[in-house]
């Protein structure tokens, strides 16, 4: 836990050093909304959780041999369960 906390603190310090005026979002063309500085902890928590999560759910992984990962997904076109193998 201490390592995760230290990394999180480093990210927060780095972001504040690079963006002293706060963080901005661009939800649609031409609109600029400043994220309130009082809520930066919630934003950082969300971003670190999002960026540290795996790109697919662990329950979808059906095999791993040390070199390749086999997983499944449901095709939105055919609605069928598709299996794929990729290099790890």
């Amino acid at each position: 836990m201490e390592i995760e906390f230290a990394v999180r603190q480093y990210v927060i310090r780095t972001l504040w050093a690079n963006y002293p005026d706060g963080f901005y979002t661009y939800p649609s063309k031409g609109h600029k909304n400043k994220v309130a500085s009082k809520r930066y902890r919630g934003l950082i928590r969300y971003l670190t959780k999002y960026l540290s999560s795996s790109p697919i759910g662990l329950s979808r992984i059906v095999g791993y041999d040390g070199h390749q990962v086999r997983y499944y997904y449901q095709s939105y076109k055919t609605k069928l369960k598709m299996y794929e193998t990729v290099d790890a």
Side-chain angles (χ1 to χ4, degrees):
M1 285 298 229
E2 291 178 19
I3 293 171
E4 291 179 12
F5 182 77
V7 171
R8 186 175 294 156
Q9 290 298 95
Y10 171 77
V11 170
I12 291 170
R13 282 193 305 272
T14 303
L15 288 172
W16 277 118
N18 292 332
Y19 303 99
D21 294 331
F23 307 103
Y24 294 86
T25 60
Y26 300 95
S28 61
K29 279 188 175 180
H31 298 290
K32 190 187 285 189
N33 297 323
K34 188 173 182 176
V35 176
S37 61
K38 292 179 182 176
R39 299 183 55 150
Y40 78 93
R41 288 181 189 242
L43 175 63
I44 295 298
R45 188 176 301 122
Y46 168 78
L47 289 173
T48 54
K49 183 177 179 181
Y50 177 79
L51 294 173
S52 65
S53 65
S54 60
I56 63 170
L58 294 177
S59 62
R60 295 179 181 260
I61 297 174
V62 295
Y64 175 67
D65 64 4
H67 301 287
Q68 294 184 321
V69 177
R70 183 168 168 78
Y71 67 96
Y72 73 90
Y73 64 94
Q74 183 175 354
S75 170
Y76 70 92
K77 290 181 181 178
T78 64
K79 306 294 185 207
L80 296 173
K81 189 185 281 189
M82 307 293 290
Y83 288 87
E84 193 165 319
T85 303
V86 295
D87 292 331

